[in-house]
Amino acid sequence: MSSPDTEELATAPPPEEPGVPAVPGRGRFWRGLTGSLAAGMVVLAVCVLSIAGICLFTGAPGPGPLMLIGHPVAAVAALLCQRVADARNGRVAGFAGLGVVVSVTAALSLFWWN
């Protein structure tokens, strides 16, 4: 047995939290893809720096200075672009996501696919 009050609660959308922007369903795949690319670039940069540290202490040859500088720079650029993509909507978010893809692709093509 239901009352009119419970039926209204069942069909009403939940209230929005203050300070949290409403993100429409459009662009969720793009934001998810670029967020995954940015997070993967951060993981790759941490791994490269960790391996360089291990190689420094063991005396083994490791990644060169270009890789040690390029990976963190690409990771920071990807994270900054992803932050803009998450905070904005529309064309600005799309171009920021494109910036993530470009920075990750540039890092991978310059340092790994040569």
Side-chain angles (χ1 to χ4, degrees):
M1 178 170 202
S2 63
S3 70
D5 292 336
T6 56
E7 288 178 13
E8 180 184 356
L9 288 175
T11 59
E16 293 183 17
E17 295 179 26
V20 177
V23 177
R26 259 180 74 203
R28 290 180 101 184
F29 175 77
W30 181 244
R31 283 189 175 122
L33 176 68
T34 58
S36 298
L37 288 173
M41 192 68 229
V42 170
V43 170
L44 183 61
V46 168
C47 289
V48 167
L49 291 174
S50 299
I51 289 171
I54 292 170
C55 290
L56 180 68
F57 288 116
T58 61
L66 190 62
M67 284 186 85
L68 294 177
I69 294 169
H71 280 84
V73 167
V76 167
L79 285 177
L80 290 176
C81 288
Q82 184 61 34
R83 183 177 167 110
V84 171
D86 286 339
R88 303 287 299 268
N89 288 326
R91 194 175 293 192
V92 174
F95 283 128
L98 187 63
V100 172
V101 173
V102 166
S103 67
V104 170
T105 303
L108 290 177
S109 65
L110 289 173
F111 302 125
W112 294 95
W113 294 331
N114 55 13

XYZ file of all heavy atoms in Angstrom:
805
model
N 0.847 -1.168 0.000
C 0.000 0.000 0.000
C 0.895 1.234 0.000
O 1.801 1.362 0.801
C -0.878 -0.042 1.238
C -1.758 1.123 1.381
S -2.910 0.748 2.714
C -4.151 1.855 2.288
N 0.667 2.130 -0.933
C 1.490 3.330 -1.017
C 0.620 4.564 -0.876
O -0.567 4.553 -1.202
C 2.247 3.362 -2.330
O 1.337 3.431 -3.384
N 1.249 5.611 -0.416
C 0.542 6.877 -0.263
C 1.034 7.830 -1.348
O 2.057 7.580 -1.982
C 0.798 7.455 1.127
O 2.132 7.886 1.234
N 0.345 8.925 -1.553
C 0.805 9.889 -2.563
C 2.195 10.439 -2.258
O 2.947 10.777 -3.161
C -0.245 10.999 -2.521
C -1.449 10.388 -1.909
C -0.968 9.290 -1.018
N 2.536 10.508 -0.970
C 3.868 11.029 -0.617
C 4.973 10.090 -1.071
O 6.002 10.525 -1.575
C 3.965 11.247 0.891
C 3.072 12.390 1.360
O 2.751 13.262 0.531
O 2.710 12.390 2.549
N 4.796 8.787 -0.881
C 5.841 7.846 -1.268
C 5.944 7.727 -2.781
O 7.023 7.517 -3.314
C 5.605 6.462 -0.649
O 4.313 6.006 -1.020
C 5.740 6.510 0.850
N 4.831 7.854 -3.486
C 4.891 7.828 -4.950
C 5.652 9.042 -5.478
O 6.419 8.939 -6.435
C 3.485 7.786 -5.530
C 2.796 6.454 -5.343
C 1.384 6.470 -5.879
O 1.028 7.412 -6.613
O 0.641 5.531 -5.561
N 5.458 10.199 -4.853
C 6.174 11.395 -5.275
C 7.674 11.249 -5.020
O 8.495 11.632 -5.846
C 5.640 12.618 -4.525
C 6.342 13.904 -4.908
C 5.863 15.086 -4.081
O 4.948 14.939 -3.260
O 6.446 16.162 -4.265
N 8.043 10.663 -3.889
C 9.458 10.458 -3.593
C 10.091 9.461 -4.541
O 11.261 9.574 -4.895
C 9.636 9.979 -2.154
C 9.378 11.021 -1.073
C 9.460 10.377 0.298
C 10.350 12.165 -1.185
N 9.330 8.476 -4.971
C 9.871 7.458 -5.867
C 10.133 8.015 -7.255
O 11.005 7.524 -7.967
C 8.917 6.275 -5.944
N 9.390 9.025 -7.669
C 9.546 9.560 -9.019
C 10.357 10.853 -9.062
O 10.765 11.286 -10.127
C 8.177 9.825 -9.661
O 7.464 10.767 -8.846
C 7.395 8.533 -9.793
N 10.611 11.488 -7.922
C 11.347 12.750 -7.905
C 12.841 12.473 -8.000
O 13.343 11.528 -7.387
C 11.044 13.530 -6.627
N 13.575 13.277 -8.766
C 15.030 13.087 -8.830
C 15.655 13.483 -7.494
O 15.124 14.307 -6.767
C 15.460 14.018 -9.957
C 14.406 15.056 -10.010
C 13.133 14.378 -9.591
N 16.796 12.895 -7.165
C 17.450 13.258 -5.905
C 17.929 14.699 -5.961
O 18.269 15.220 -7.026
C 18.628 12.285 -5.821
C 18.865 11.832 -7.211
C 17.536 11.896 -7.906
N 17.967 15.371 -4.823
C 18.428 16.769 -4.831
C 19.912 16.835 -5.154
O 20.684 15.948 -4.810
C 18.150 17.232 -3.396
C 18.107 15.988 -2.581
C 17.597 14.910 -3.496
N 20.285 17.905 -5.840
C 21.689 18.087 -6.214
C 22.470 18.615 -5.025
O 21.977 19.403 -4.232
C 21.799 19.070 -7.380
C 21.202 18.542 -8.659
C 21.406 19.517 -9.802
O 22.262 20.411 -9.685
O 20.719 19.366 -10.808
N 23.709 18.172 -4.918
C 24.566 18.641 -3.843
C 25.095 20.019 -4.213
O 25.440 20.275 -5.361
C 25.731 17.677 -3.646
C 25.300 16.306 -3.185
C 26.484 15.377 -3.016
O 27.603 15.871 -2.781
O 26.280 14.169 -3.116
N 25.186 20.909 -3.240
C 25.721 22.237 -3.560
C 27.210 22.167 -3.876
O 27.962 21.427 -3.265
C 25.478 23.038 -2.273
C 25.317 22.021 -1.195
C 24.775 20.782 -1.853
N 27.606 22.920 -4.877
C 29.014 22.971 -5.264
C 29.430 21.896 -6.241
O 30.542 21.895 -6.720
N 28.552 20.945 -6.535
C 28.879 19.877 -7.476
C 28.138 20.167 -8.773
O 26.914 20.172 -8.794
C 28.474 18.490 -6.925
C 28.754 17.416 -7.950
C 29.187 18.207 -5.631
N 28.874 20.453 -9.863
C 28.190 20.765 -11.113
C 27.511 19.522 -11.680
O 28.011 18.408 -11.561
C 29.309 21.242 -12.036
C 30.532 20.608 -11.485
C 30.312 20.490 -9.997
N 26.352 19.731 -12.261
C 25.635 18.630 -12.891
C 26.290 18.317 -14.231
O 26.441 19.177 -15.080
C 24.171 19.004 -13.094
N 26.716 17.078 -14.397
C 27.361 16.662 -15.638
C 26.332 15.889 -16.451
O 25.800 14.892 -15.987
C 28.595 15.775 -15.345
C 29.212 15.288 -16.635
C 29.597 16.540 -14.526
N 26.033 16.348 -17.643
C 25.068 15.617 -18.449
C 25.644 14.287 -18.921
O 26.845 14.053 -18.859
C 24.806 16.552 -19.632
C 26.025 17.394 -19.714
C 26.536 17.528 -18.308
N 24.773 13.423 -19.391
C 25.192 12.109 -19.863
C 26.081 12.175 -21.089
O 26.841 11.266 -21.350
N 25.965 13.260 -21.845
C 26.810 13.421 -23.031
C 28.258 13.592 -22.631
O 28.590 14.331 -21.724
C 26.381 14.669 -23.798
C 25.535 14.361 -24.991
C 25.134 15.608 -25.717
N 26.274 16.139 -26.462
C 26.379 17.393 -26.825
N 25.466 18.255 -26.496
N 27.413 17.792 -27.523
N 29.140 12.913 -23.303
C 30.553 13.088 -23.064
C 31.126 12.194 -21.986
O 32.296 12.327 -21.658
N 30.323 11.323 -21.409
C 30.837 10.463 -20.336
C 31.912 9.518 -20.864
O 32.916 9.303 -20.198
C 29.714 9.651 -19.713
C 28.766 10.489 -18.904
C 27.693 9.642 -18.334
N 28.020 9.392 -16.941
C 27.312 8.617 -16.159
N 26.268 7.985 -16.630
N 27.655 8.448 -14.910
N 31.703 8.960 -22.045
C 32.700 8.049 -22.612
C 34.002 8.781 -22.873
O 35.079 8.282 -22.552
C 32.173 7.405 -23.900
C 33.194 6.545 -24.584
C 33.470 5.284 -24.106
C 33.900 7.008 -25.681
C 34.427 4.485 -24.712
C 34.859 6.231 -26.296
C 35.121 4.959 -25.814
N 33.903 9.980 -23.457
C 35.097 10.761 -23.786
C 35.864 11.129 -22.515
O 37.082 11.008 -22.452
C 34.690 12.004 -24.568
C 35.819 12.879 -24.994
C 36.046 14.161 -24.597
C 36.892 12.566 -25.889
N 37.175 14.655 -25.191
C 37.717 13.697 -25.989
C 37.226 11.431 -26.613
C 38.856 13.727 -26.777
C 38.365 11.469 -27.407
C 39.160 12.613 -27.481
N 35.139 11.561 -21.481
C 35.800 11.908 -20.222
C 36.415 10.688 -19.566
O 37.496 10.762 -18.976
C 34.804 12.555 -19.268
C 34.512 13.976 -19.621
C 33.700 14.659 -18.542
N 33.543 16.047 -18.866
C 32.388 16.642 -19.003
N 31.279 15.982 -18.813
N 32.335 17.922 -19.303
N 35.747 9.563 -19.653
C 36.298 8.336 -19.096
C 37.543 7.882 -19.831
O 38.530 7.458 -19.215
N 37.501 7.980 -21.153
C 38.662 7.585 -21.954
C 39.858 8.480 -21.674
O 40.965 8.004 -21.408
C 38.313 7.629 -23.440
C 39.455 7.336 -24.406
C 39.879 5.878 -24.285
C 39.058 7.671 -25.822
N 39.644 9.782 -21.691
C 40.762 10.692 -21.466
C 41.249 10.623 -20.017
O 42.448 10.769 -19.761
C 40.388 12.135 -21.836
O 39.247 12.550 -21.065
C 40.102 12.260 -23.319
N 40.359 10.388 -19.079
C 40.775 10.215 -17.692
C 41.639 8.979 -17.517
O 42.628 8.991 -16.778
N 41.278 7.907 -18.211
C 42.090 6.687 -18.153
C 43.452 6.904 -18.786
O 44.472 6.411 -18.277
C 41.369 5.546 -18.873
O 40.152 5.262 -18.239
N 43.491 7.631 -19.886
C 44.778 7.931 -20.527
C 45.661 8.789 -19.615
O 46.866 8.544 -19.505
C 44.561 8.635 -21.862
C 44.011 7.775 -22.992
C 43.684 8.654 -24.205
C 44.985 6.690 -23.375
N 45.063 9.784 -18.968
C 45.841 10.649 -18.073
C 46.357 9.855 -16.874
O 47.532 10.000 -16.489
C 44.986 11.828 -17.605
N 45.517 9.009 -16.302
C 45.958 8.196 -15.167
C 47.048 7.212 -15.587
O 48.025 7.004 -14.855
C 44.765 7.451 -14.574
N 46.906 6.622 -16.763
C 47.933 5.720 -17.261
C 49.251 6.424 -17.500
O 50.322 5.855 -17.256
N 49.191 7.657 -17.954
C 50.430 8.420 -18.162
C 51.112 8.712 -16.829
O 52.347 8.668 -16.744
C 50.093 9.722 -18.904
C 51.291 10.452 -19.421
S 52.100 9.561 -20.738
C 53.774 9.615 -20.192
N 50.341 8.981 -15.793
C 50.919 9.216 -14.468
C 51.591 7.939 -13.954
O 52.707 7.980 -13.430
C 49.837 9.710 -13.484
C 50.358 9.716 -12.060
C 49.355 11.089 -13.880
N 50.915 6.810 -14.119
C 51.495 5.534 -13.686
C 52.783 5.247 -14.447
O 53.790 4.817 -13.866
C 50.467 4.386 -13.854
C 51.111 3.040 -13.660
C 49.304 4.571 -12.897
N 52.770 5.506 -15.742
C 53.975 5.284 -16.547
C 55.110 6.190 -16.104
O 56.266 5.755 -16.003
C 53.661 5.500 -18.029
C 54.801 5.240 -19.007
C 55.257 3.788 -18.922
C 54.361 5.574 -20.417
N 54.817 7.449 -15.806
C 55.858 8.376 -15.352
C 56.436 7.931 -14.010
O 57.659 7.973 -13.811
C 55.290 9.789 -15.239
N 55.584 7.480 -13.101
C 56.070 7.001 -11.805
C 56.933 5.759 -11.990
O 57.989 5.613 -11.344
C 54.884 6.731 -10.849
C 55.320 5.967 -9.616
C 54.217 8.036 -10.451
N 56.532 4.866 -12.870
C 57.327 3.652 -13.139
C 58.686 3.995 -13.739
O 59.706 3.424 -13.333
C 56.568 2.713 -14.069
S 55.161 1.908 -13.295
N 58.716 4.911 -14.687
C 59.988 5.297 -15.314
C 60.911 5.928 -14.273
O 62.112 5.616 -14.221
C 59.746 6.248 -16.508
C 61.030 6.913 -16.965
C 59.121 5.494 -17.661
N 60.368 6.793 -13.424
C 61.196 7.422 -12.396
C 61.671 6.395 -11.364
O 62.814 6.471 -10.891
C 60.419 8.548 -11.714
C 60.145 9.775 -12.586
C 59.252 10.762 -11.853
C 61.436 10.436 -13.010
N 60.822 5.440 -11.022
C 61.218 4.391 -10.077
C 62.314 3.512 -10.655
O 63.288 3.172 -9.958
C 60.011 3.527 -9.709
O 59.015 4.296 -9.099
N 62.175 3.141 -11.898
C 63.195 2.321 -12.547
C 64.513 3.094 -12.649
O 65.590 2.520 -12.454
C 62.705 1.852 -13.931
C 61.598 0.818 -13.741
C 63.844 1.295 -14.768
C 60.881 0.438 -15.000
N 64.442 4.386 -12.902
C 65.662 5.194 -12.951
C 66.338 5.226 -11.588
O 67.570 5.161 -11.492
C 65.340 6.606 -13.418
N 65.537 5.308 -10.524
C 66.112 5.281 -9.179
C 66.769 3.953 -8.865
O 67.855 3.905 -8.281
N 66.133 2.870 -9.251
C 66.716 1.544 -9.039
C 68.010 1.403 -9.828
O 69.013 0.888 -9.322
C 65.697 0.449 -9.414
C 64.537 0.453 -8.423
C 66.355 -0.916 -9.471
C 63.357 -0.416 -8.840
N 67.990 1.855 -11.071
C 69.189 1.765 -11.910
C 70.311 2.639 -11.358
O 71.493 2.291 -11.483
C 68.871 2.166 -13.338
S 67.840 0.962 -14.187
N 69.974 3.747 -10.742
C 70.980 4.620 -10.166
C 71.722 3.923 -9.025
O 72.942 4.025 -8.914
C 70.323 5.915 -9.669
C 71.235 6.953 -9.037
C 72.165 7.536 -10.088
C 70.415 8.041 -8.392
N 70.986 3.189 -8.200
C 71.606 2.525 -7.052
C 72.282 1.207 -7.412
O 73.202 0.785 -6.728
C 70.577 2.306 -5.948
C 70.182 3.574 -5.263
C 68.882 4.032 -5.339
C 71.108 4.333 -4.565
C 68.512 5.208 -4.726
C 70.751 5.511 -3.946
C 69.446 5.949 -4.021
N 71.835 0.559 -8.471
C 72.441 -0.722 -8.852
C 73.552 -0.563 -9.883
O 74.282 -1.515 -10.144
C 71.376 -1.681 -9.407
O 70.793 -1.106 -10.570
C 70.319 -1.988 -8.365
N 73.657 0.595 -10.485
C 74.688 0.819 -11.486
C 74.315 0.305 -12.866
O 75.145 0.290 -13.773
N 73.092 -0.113 -13.042
C 72.636 -0.610 -14.339
C 72.289 0.570 -15.244
O 71.945 1.646 -14.760
C 71.410 -1.499 -14.162
N 72.388 0.375 -16.562
C 71.963 1.461 -17.455
C 70.450 1.624 -17.375
O 69.708 0.654 -17.329
C 72.399 0.983 -18.834
C 72.522 -0.485 -18.725
C 72.884 -0.787 -17.296
N 70.017 2.836 -17.322
C 68.582 3.109 -17.186
C 68.109 4.095 -18.222
O 68.805 4.383 -19.203
N 66.929 4.633 -18.017
C 66.393 5.611 -18.970
C 67.231 6.887 -18.949
O 67.782 7.277 -17.923
C 64.971 5.866 -18.478
C 64.925 5.365 -17.087
C 65.989 4.349 -16.937
N 67.291 7.515 -20.101
C 68.082 8.733 -20.234
C 67.375 9.945 -19.668
O 66.213 9.889 -19.258
N 68.080 11.071 -19.643
C 67.499 12.289 -19.070
C 66.274 12.789 -19.841
O 65.373 13.365 -19.249
C 68.637 13.303 -19.122
C 69.684 12.727 -19.991
C 69.461 11.258 -20.069
N 66.246 12.556 -21.138
C 65.083 12.991 -21.916
C 63.819 12.252 -21.472
O 62.749 12.856 -21.331
C 65.345 12.770 -23.409
C 64.336 13.397 -24.363
C 64.325 14.904 -24.199
C 64.657 13.024 -25.789
N 63.946 10.954 -21.220
C 62.793 10.187 -20.730
C 62.415 10.607 -19.312
O 61.233 10.637 -18.958
C 63.092 8.688 -20.754
C 63.042 8.071 -22.132
S 63.240 6.292 -22.075
C 61.573 5.776 -21.778
N 63.420 10.905 -18.490
C 63.153 11.282 -17.103
C 62.469 12.641 -16.998
O 61.768 12.910 -16.026
C 64.452 11.289 -16.301
C 65.108 9.924 -16.114
C 66.423 10.075 -15.374
C 64.175 8.986 -15.369
N 62.674 13.490 -17.963
C 62.010 14.796 -17.977
C 60.688 14.717 -18.740
O 59.679 15.287 -18.322
C 62.937 15.860 -18.595
C 64.155 16.074 -17.698
C 62.205 17.176 -18.801
C 65.251 16.901 -18.335
N 60.701 14.012 -19.860
C 59.538 13.995 -20.743
C 58.306 13.318 -20.161
O 57.186 13.797 -20.337
N 58.501 12.208 -19.457
C 57.342 11.500 -18.905
C 56.591 12.310 -17.849
O 55.366 12.418 -17.920
C 57.765 10.138 -18.361
C 57.922 9.105 -19.423
N 59.072 8.985 -20.150
C 57.078 8.150 -19.894
C 58.936 8.002 -21.018
N 57.727 7.478 -20.890
N 57.286 12.882 -16.856
C 56.542 13.704 -15.894
C 55.897 14.945 -16.519
O 54.793 15.334 -16.135
C 57.597 14.104 -14.860
C 58.634 13.059 -14.958
C 58.662 12.657 -16.401
N 56.562 15.540 -17.501
C 55.966 16.707 -18.163
C 54.694 16.314 -18.894
O 53.666 17.002 -18.815
C 56.997 17.368 -19.113
C 56.331 18.374 -20.030
C 58.102 18.024 -18.314
N 54.736 15.189 -19.611
C 53.541 14.718 -20.313
C 52.435 14.341 -19.339
O 51.248 14.594 -19.596
C 53.891 13.527 -21.202
N 52.798 13.759 -18.196
C 51.797 13.381 -17.204
C 51.131 14.618 -16.592
O 49.903 14.649 -16.430
C 52.437 12.528 -16.109
N 51.921 15.630 -16.280
C 51.351 16.855 -15.720
C 50.466 17.551 -16.748
O 49.364 18.032 -16.423
C 52.478 17.793 -15.218
C 51.954 19.186 -14.915
C 53.132 17.190 -13.982
N 50.904 17.599 -17.991
C 50.087 18.215 -19.042
C 48.771 17.461 -19.211
O 47.698 18.076 -19.345
C 50.854 18.238 -20.362
N 48.828 16.134 -19.184
C 47.611 15.335 -19.329
C 46.670 15.554 -18.146
O 45.457 15.671 -18.319
C 47.959 13.855 -19.465
N 47.214 15.625 -16.935
C 46.373 15.845 -15.762
C 45.729 17.228 -15.768
O 44.557 17.371 -15.402
C 47.184 15.658 -14.483
C 47.501 14.231 -14.097
C 48.366 14.204 -12.850
C 46.233 13.435 -13.876
N 46.474 18.237 -16.181
C 45.902 19.587 -16.244
C 44.791 19.667 -17.294
O 43.737 20.266 -17.051
C 46.991 20.610 -16.529
C 47.990 20.852 -15.402
C 49.083 21.809 -15.852
C 47.289 21.379 -14.170
N 45.019 19.052 -18.443
C 43.981 19.037 -19.474
C 42.760 18.247 -19.006
O 41.620 18.646 -19.260
C 44.522 18.438 -20.768
S 45.667 19.505 -21.641
N 42.987 17.147 -18.298
C 41.866 16.350 -17.809
C 41.068 17.102 -16.748
O 39.859 16.993 -16.679
C 42.354 15.010 -17.252
C 41.240 14.102 -16.808
C 40.290 13.731 -17.920
O 40.687 13.590 -19.063
N 39.027 13.569 -17.584
N 41.751 17.869 -15.946
C 41.048 18.674 -14.941
C 40.111 19.675 -15.609
O 38.986 19.875 -15.176
C 42.075 19.384 -14.065
C 41.473 20.172 -12.955
C 42.559 20.770 -12.090
N 41.998 21.762 -11.203
C 41.899 21.599 -9.901
N 42.344 20.519 -9.344
N 41.378 22.548 -9.154
N 40.581 20.299 -16.681
C 39.724 21.229 -17.422
C 38.568 20.469 -18.071
O 37.423 20.928 -18.050
C 40.548 21.996 -18.482
C 39.650 22.798 -19.399
C 41.561 22.892 -17.804
N 38.851 19.296 -18.626
C 37.800 18.510 -19.280
C 36.726 18.091 -18.284
O 35.543 18.050 -18.626
C 38.403 17.284 -19.956
N 37.112 17.787 -17.060
C 36.135 17.393 -16.051
C 35.346 18.571 -15.512
O 34.192 18.432 -15.120
C 36.829 16.681 -14.882
C 37.264 15.274 -15.251
O 36.705 14.710 -16.206
O 38.167 14.745 -14.578
N 35.963 19.744 -15.488
C 35.311 20.910 -14.895
C 34.401 21.648 -15.870
O 33.474 22.332 -15.447
C 36.357 21.878 -14.360
N 34.633 21.523 -17.151
C 33.881 22.291 -18.134
C 33.008 21.389 -18.973
O 33.143 20.169 -18.947
C 34.843 23.046 -19.058
C 35.828 23.979 -18.371
C 35.193 25.240 -17.840
N 34.590 26.058 -18.851
C 35.193 27.040 -19.497
N 36.445 27.319 -19.244
N 34.547 27.742 -20.402
N 32.132 21.975 -19.727
C 31.261 21.257 -20.648
C 31.436 21.816 -22.047
O 31.991 22.887 -22.238
C 29.788 21.401 -20.231
C 29.468 20.616 -18.983
O 30.020 19.549 -18.765
N 28.584 21.155 -18.166
N 30.941 21.067 -23.007
C 30.911 21.557 -24.371
C 32.241 21.464 -25.084
O 33.034 20.544 -24.896
N 32.458 22.459 -25.925
C 33.626 22.476 -26.796
C 34.936 22.566 -26.013
O 35.928 21.949 -26.387
C 33.503 23.654 -27.759
C 34.450 23.599 -28.907
C 34.194 24.712 -29.860
N 32.888 24.492 -30.496
C 32.461 25.155 -31.539
N 33.204 26.085 -32.079
N 31.286 24.899 -32.065
N 34.936 23.312 -24.923
C 36.152 23.460 -24.118
C 36.565 22.106 -23.544
O 37.745 21.742 -23.567
C 35.931 24.491 -22.984
C 37.127 24.549 -22.065
C 35.634 25.854 -23.563
N 35.601 21.349 -23.044
C 35.902 20.024 -22.501
C 36.407 19.088 -23.592
O 37.319 18.288 -23.360
C 34.660 19.440 -21.837
N 35.845 19.192 -24.774
C 36.301 18.354 -25.885
C 37.729 18.648 -26.288
O 38.525 17.739 -26.515
N 38.071 19.946 -26.356
C 39.439 20.313 -26.716
C 40.425 19.960 -25.603
O 41.573 19.596 -25.872
C 39.537 21.795 -27.065
C 39.018 22.116 -28.439
C 38.079 23.104 -28.633
C 39.476 21.411 -29.537
C 37.596 23.391 -29.895
C 39.001 21.692 -30.813
C 38.055 22.679 -30.991
N 39.992 20.068 -24.359
C 40.866 19.668 -23.249
C 41.120 18.162 -23.297
O 42.240 17.706 -23.069
C 40.251 20.070 -21.916
N 40.091 17.390 -23.607
C 40.275 15.947 -23.769
C 41.199 15.633 -24.930
O 42.017 14.701 -24.864
N 41.086 16.405 -25.988
C 42.002 16.240 -27.118
C 43.442 16.547 -26.703
O 44.378 15.892 -27.156
C 41.567 17.140 -28.277
C 42.314 16.978 -29.584
C 42.104 15.575 -30.140
C 41.857 18.018 -30.577
N 43.612 17.518 -25.808
C 44.940 17.817 -25.279
C 45.523 16.637 -24.507
O 46.729 16.371 -24.573
N 44.674 15.913 -23.775
C 45.129 14.706 -23.077
C 45.615 13.674 -24.082
O 46.707 13.105 -23.943
C 44.000 14.114 -22.199
C 44.413 12.770 -21.633
C 43.613 15.058 -21.095
N 44.812 13.444 -25.110
C 45.171 12.447 -26.121
C 46.467 12.838 -26.824
O 47.342 11.990 -27.050
C 44.015 12.265 -27.138
C 44.428 11.378 -28.284
C 42.784 11.706 -26.439
N 46.622 14.107 -27.143
C 47.830 14.566 -27.835
C 49.061 14.412 -26.947
O 50.112 13.929 -27.401
C 47.663 16.028 -28.299
C 48.986 16.645 -28.716
C 46.664 16.103 -29.433
N 48.969 14.779 -25.670
C 50.143 14.680 -24.796
C 50.535 13.228 -24.552
O 51.728 12.899 -24.559
C 49.900 15.404 -23.472
O 48.909 14.743 -22.720
N 49.562 12.348 -24.375
C 49.879 10.931 -24.174
C 50.439 10.318 -25.453
O 51.433 9.581 -25.426
C 48.628 10.168 -23.679
C 48.861 8.670 -23.690
C 48.244 10.634 -22.287
N 49.837 10.636 -26.583
C 50.326 10.107 -27.854
C 51.729 10.613 -28.158
O 52.584 9.854 -28.640
C 49.365 10.488 -28.996
O 48.062 10.008 -28.676
C 49.808 9.905 -30.310
N 51.990 11.881 -27.872
C 53.323 12.430 -28.103
C 54.359 11.732 -27.229
O 55.444 11.373 -27.709
C 53.326 13.931 -27.831
N 54.037 11.519 -25.963
C 54.989 10.854 -25.068
C 55.249 9.419 -25.519
O 56.399 8.969 -25.554
C 54.462 10.874 -23.636
N 54.206 8.712 -25.865
C 54.392 7.322 -26.275
C 55.142 7.228 -27.604
O 55.997 6.369 -27.778
C 53.048 6.614 -26.381
C 52.332 6.355 -25.058
C 50.979 5.706 -25.316
C 53.172 5.512 -24.140
N 54.837 8.108 -28.529
C 55.498 8.023 -29.831
C 56.955 8.488 -29.754
O 57.815 7.943 -30.438
C 54.726 8.818 -30.879
O 54.739 10.187 -30.563
N 57.246 9.477 -28.934
C 58.616 9.965 -28.829
C 59.520 9.037 -28.024
O 60.693 8.888 -28.349
C 58.632 11.368 -28.190
C 58.097 12.499 -29.041
C 58.026 13.776 -28.220
C 58.961 12.703 -30.270
N 58.971 8.436 -26.965
C 59.828 7.679 -26.051
C 59.727 6.170 -26.195
O 60.608 5.454 -25.735
C 59.509 8.063 -24.611
C 59.686 9.518 -24.333
C 58.649 10.255 -23.806
C 60.872 10.171 -24.616
C 58.797 11.613 -23.539
C 61.025 11.519 -24.364
C 59.999 12.234 -23.821
N 58.663 5.658 -26.788
C 58.475 4.211 -26.818
C 58.362 3.630 -28.219
O 58.782 2.512 -28.450
C 57.226 3.829 -26.016
C 57.391 4.118 -24.561
C 57.004 5.233 -23.895
C 58.020 3.287 -23.589
N 57.342 5.152 -22.575
C 57.962 3.956 -22.357
C 58.619 2.035 -23.636
C 58.490 3.424 -21.201
C 59.135 1.508 -22.461
C 59.075 2.199 -21.275
N 57.746 4.335 -29.142
C 57.480 3.759 -30.456
C 58.485 4.249 -31.495
O 58.136 4.515 -32.627
C 56.082 4.120 -30.926
C 55.014 3.517 -30.102
C 55.071 2.354 -29.419
C 53.718 4.057 -29.856
N 53.893 2.138 -28.756
C 53.052 3.164 -29.018
C 53.072 5.206 -30.274
C 51.743 3.397 -28.579
C 51.778 5.420 -29.834
C 51.139 4.497 -29.011
N 59.734 4.355 -31.159
C 60.704 4.827 -32.133
C 61.658 3.728 -32.524
O 61.885 2.767 -31.935
C 61.479 6.035 -31.646
C 62.149 5.791 -30.309
O 62.238 4.670 -29.834
N 62.607 6.859 -29.709
